[in-house]
Amino acid sequence: MKEVIKVMMTEQEIDARVRQIGEQISKDYAGQEVHLVCVLKGGSFFMCELAKRITIPVSFDFMSVSSYGGDTKSSGMVRIVKDLDEPLEGKNVIVVEDIIDSGRTLSYLLELFGQRKPKSISLCTLLDKPDRRVVDVKVDYTGFNIPDEFVVGFGLDYDQRYRNLPYIGTVEFVEE
Ligand code: IMP
Ligand code: MG
């Protein structure tokens, strides 16, 4: 089987939407600072682009989690591979994710981060698949709602590949 990537969102479309979200966050937190928490590895491309479009003071931290199980569906079991370096206490935390699928990863992380006494906590995701939600999570900033299809690019992988694509596309498997 050969993998073919079909474009869903172009680089220009993503850039335009990321700029809008950056402006919105800058307005919502005007006069304050935000602390972006990136969920590695997928969220890293989005977080870097988003940070460039935020005009108020920004700091970052990174967290790495892995969900056990198959390669195209998350199992819901979350393991912390790398915790944050900095405390969250008193900060306006914005968790930045590549995609919310079942919502299990995020609901676990939001609960954990909430215990660390941030001043506020909100959630920003580039992509959301609302049809697949199993656990309810409140999303504050969404780039795009997408249908239940497996996507790659702009940080998202299939078996660790395709993260570097500057656009987002679906993976199709065709006979060679
Ligand atoms: P959740 O816990 O089911 O919401 O899982 C979210 C995580 O599953 C994301 O951070 C991705 O790592 C992965 N994931 C879910 N859907 C996709 C997809 O379409 N492409 C690539 N990774 C995905
Ligand atoms: Mg992820």
Side-chain angles (χ1 to χ4, degrees), residues 39-43 65 97-99 105 156-157 163:
V39 184
L40 292 169
K41 303 168 188 156
V65 297
E97 252 286 29
D98 50 357
I99 189 163
T105 310
L156 291 140
D157 72 303
R163 291 191 196 275

Side-chain angles (χ1 to χ4, degrees), residues 21-22 25-26 34 36 50-58 94:
I21 299 173
I25 288 173
S26 308
V34 287
L36 304 184
L50 180 64
K52 289 196 255 177
R53 308 300 171 203
I54 295 178
T55 52
I56 54 172
V58 174
I94 303 179

